[in-house]
Amino acid sequence: MMYKYQLILLGDTKSNACKTIKVHFFDKIHSIGLKDDMFEVIYNETFHEKYSNKQPSFVFYFGCMNHSEKDTDILKVLLDNGDAIFPIYFGEIFEVEVPEIIHTMNGRQYIADHVGKYINYALEAMRLLRENRKLFISYRRTDSSAVANQLFDTFARNNYDVFLDTYSINPAKNFQEELHHRMTDCDVLIQLYTNDFKNSKWCNEEIVSANQKQIGVVEIVWPDCTPDIHNLLCKPIQLTQDMFVNKDFQNESCRFTEKCIEKVVYTVESVRARNLAARQDNLVGEFIKEAHKQGRRFMQEYRYLVETLKDGRIRLFIPAIGVPQSYDCFDSLRFRKLLNNEKLELFLIYDDLRIRKRWVEHLEWLNESLEVKTIKKKDFELWLKNN
C-alpha cells in the first residue's frame, strides 16, 4: 500500500474560497517538487470511502450561514483521531457559520490576500515545510558514493534537508551517539544496501534505532543483494540492472536512471506520510493516556493540546517530532500572540529516546530561563502528577 497525505475539504465546498485554496495548495506543492499523486483530496461524499486515520491529514472547513451544522458527523471522527482542522468563516460571527463541535477552535475569517498563509498552515501541519522535511542517507563510499550524491541533489531540490552520515559527522565526534541523535531528527532513513554495506557494524544498529523511534526506512537493495528485512517500518526497493545507467552497478561511480530516481522519491514520500502520522500519534497518545489516568482532560487543536485550569490559566502542549531546538521554543511563542492570551503557558513535549544526553541536559537547562518549557516522554507521568 502506498501512503499519501490527505487534504480534506468540508462544509461549503462549492464556495469560491474552497476552489481557490485547493488550486493554491497544489501550486505550492508543485513548487516544492511534490506531485499530485502523493495527495488524496477528500470531500464529505468520499470521506468514509477514502479517509484513513493512519495517514497525515489537514482539514479545511468552510463556513456557511445556512448550513452551520454540515458534516458534524465527519468532524467528530476527525476530532477523535486528533486530525488538524482549520475552520474558515466569511461573515462577522464565527459561531453562526461553523458546527458547534468546532466552536472552541481558532478559526480565521476568509481574506483573499491571506490564502498563502492558510496554505502554510496546512503544510506546517503536514510537516512539509523544508525545515521539517529531514532525510538521512546511509551508504558505503566504496560501493555507492555517486548514487548517494545523486539522491542528495534530488531530495534537496524536493525541499528536503538531507543528511549524509559519512560526510556530516565530524571525525572528533562520538560516531554512534551522533548517528543516533541525527537519525532521531529525520523523517525517513534511506539505506543503500550494497554488499559492502551489509558488512558494516552500524547497519543493524541503525535499523534498531529507526524501529525504536518509529522512523521509516527505505532500503534500496542492489541487484546482487538479498537482505534480511527485520524492520516492520521498512519498505524495500529491489533494484535490477536496468535501474542503473548503462546497467552498471558494481562500482562507486554507478548512478541511477531517472526512472529509478522517480521510484525512490515516490517511495520515500509514501513512507514519510505513513510514519509522520505514526510518530505524532504515538507521542500525543502517550501524553493523553498519562493525563487520563489522573483525570486530566485536553482539547486537541490542529497543532497542539489545550488544558484550561480552574484559575483561568491555559496550557498549550505542542508535540515536537525529532530533536527539539531552542528555536522551536522561540517559535512556539507565536501562539501567545495568535491566541491573544497573556495567561498562556507553553510546553513542548518530545521523545528523548536516542537523543544525545548532553542535548537533553541542554533542554533542561533552558527550562530554567525560557518561557517555553520542554517535557520529555519518560517524564510525562511524573510531570502530570506534579503540575
Side-chain angles (χ1 to χ4, degrees):
M1 175 181 178
M2 298 304 289
Y3 291 80
K4 299 185 178 185
Y5 303 97
Q6 299 174 123
L7 177 65
I8 303 175
L9 305 173
L10 300 176
D12 185 11
T13 56
K14 304 297 184 185
S15 67
N16 288 331
C18 179
K19 297 172 185 175
T20 298
I21 283 177
K22 180 182 174 184
V23 168
H24 279 75
F25 180 86
F26 281 98
D27 285 346
K28 182 67 174 181
I29 289 306
H30 300 156
S31 75
I32 62 176
L34 295 176
K35 296 183 178 180
D36 291 2
D37 59 5
M38 280 309 307
F39 294 82
E40 189 77 70
V41 179
I42 301 174
Y43 294 92
N44 53 2
E45 60 266 23
T46 59
F47 179 80
H48 295 292
E49 174 191 348
K50 293 185 176 181
Y51 171 73
S52 168
N53 64 356
K54 299 184 183 302
Q55 300 178 139
S57 304
F58 190 85
V59 184
F60 283 106
Y61 185 94
F62 298 92
C64 182
M65 290 291 292
N66 300 320
H67 302 284
S68 62
E69 291 302 311
K70 188 175 182 181
D71 298 331
T72 301
D73 56 332
I74 295 176
L75 289 172
K76 187 178 186 309
V77 173
L78 295 167
L79 287 170
D80 288 343
N81 290 333
D83 288 304
I85 303 173
F86 181 36
I88 292 176
Y89 65 105
F90 301 88
E92 295 299 322
I93 305 175
F94 171 68
E95 287 79 5
V96 302
E97 292 190 36
V98 304
E100 184 178 357
I101 195 172
I102 57 172
H103 278 186
T104 57
M105 290 196 161
N106 190 33
R108 284 285 186 276
Q109 187 178 40
Y110 181 76
I111 299 174
D113 290 343
H114 291 181
V115 167
K117 292 182 181 179
Y118 306 154
I119 300 306
N120 279 340
Y121 291 149
L123 297 180
E124 182 181 4
M126 293 179 178
R127 294 177 62 85
L128 289 171
L129 299 178
R130 181 177 176 80
E131 59 266 27
N132 293 324
R133 286 166 60 76
K134 297 185 179 181
L135 180 69
F136 189 109
I137 301 176
S138 184
Y139 69 105
R140 297 286 284 177
R141 291 187 184 182
T142 53
D143 284 351
S144 55
S145 58
V147 166
N149 286 310
Q150 189 181 17
L151 291 175
F152 180 95
D153 292 340
T154 297
F155 281 100
R157 289 195 301 271
N158 280 32
N159 216 43
Y160 272 91
D161 180 1
V162 188
F163 176 86
L164 286 177
D165 61 348
T166 52
Y167 284 162
S168 303
I169 297 180
N170 191 307
K173 297 281 188 181
N174 180 316
F175 185 86
Q176 190 171 15
E177 182 183 60
E178 186 74 9
L179 193 74
H180 292 155
H181 182 83
R182 298 295 187 94
M183 280 181 59
T184 293
D185 211 27
C186 75
D187 301 318
V188 181
L189 166 68
I190 290 180
Q191 287 188 328
L192 301 183
Y193 199 99
T194 59
N195 275 308
D196 195 25
F197 181 83
K198 66 183 180 180
N199 296 322
S200 166
K201 64 180 180 179
W202 306 114
C203 179
N204 290 329
E205 192 65 38
E206 288 173 1
I207 288 288
V208 170
S209 182
N211 207 21
Q212 289 175 332
K213 295 292 295 186
Q214 292 188 301
I215 296 168
V217 178
V218 175
E219 201 158 61
I220 303 178
V221 186
W222 254 235
D224 55 349
C225 297
T226 308
D228 177 21
I229 305 297
H230 54 280
N231 182 347
L232 296 177
L233 303 179
C234 181
K235 178 72 174 179
I237 299 177
Q238 182 66 57
L239 301 176
T240 65
Q241 282 185 281
D242 292 338
M243 294 179 175
F244 291 84
V245 175
N246 298 324
K247 298 185 178 182
D248 177 15
F249 65 90
Q250 295 179 320
N251 65 77
E252 64 182 78
S253 62
C254 63
R255 293 173 61 83
F256 289 160
T257 63
E258 285 303 311
K259 187 175 181 179
C260 181
I261 287 286
E262 288 179 10
K263 180 179 178 65
V264 172
V265 169
Y266 191 83
T267 303
V268 166
E269 289 294 349
S270 174
V271 168
R272 183 181 185 275
R274 177 191 67 188
N275 290 87
L276 179 62
R279 293 182 79 186
Q280 178 146 328
D281 286 351
N282 179 264
L283 181 63
V284 173
E286 284 295 316
F287 190 76
I288 291 176
K289 183 173 71 174
E290 290 297 337
H292 284 179
K293 287 180 183 178
Q294 298 171 50
R296 307 268 285 267
R297 291 294 182 268
F298 297 93
M299 172 72 70
Q300 188 152 353
E301 292 277 2
Y302 69 89
R303 284 180 285 175
Y304 47 78
L305 300 168
V306 184
E307 182 182 34
T308 303
L309 304 182
K310 292 180 180 179
D311 60 6
R313 286 180 297 150
I314 297 176
R315 288 173 169 171
L316 258 59
F317 299 90
I318 305 162
I321 306 302
V323 179
Q325 313 283 336
S326 57
Y327 180 79
D328 294 323
C329 297
F330 168 76
D331 191 47
S332 299
L333 290 172
R334 75 194 194 293
F335 286 108
R336 179 163 290 143
K337 181 178 180 181
L338 183 67
L339 299 178
N340 194 27
N341 190 319
E342 290 302 317
K343 289 188 175 182
L344 198 63
E345 298 177 4
L346 296 165
F347 302 89
L348 292 179
I349 59 175
Y350 73 101
D351 185 353
D352 53 307
L353 180 67
R354 297 291 193 176
I355 295 178
R356 282 200 311 263
K357 181 181 177 182
R358 290 287 290 170
W359 196 269
V360 174
E361 291 172 349
H362 167 68
L363 292 172
E364 292 174 348
W365 174 74
L366 289 175
N367 280 346
E368 298 175 8
S369 54
L370 295 185
E371 295 178 65
V372 181
K373 312 299 183 185
T374 56
I375 310 170
K376 57 182 181 287
K377 185 176 177 181
K378 68 174 62 171
D379 288 345
F380 284 174
E381 181 180 5
L382 182 63
W383 191 94
L384 287 163
K385 282 181 178 178
N386 296 331
N387 295 273

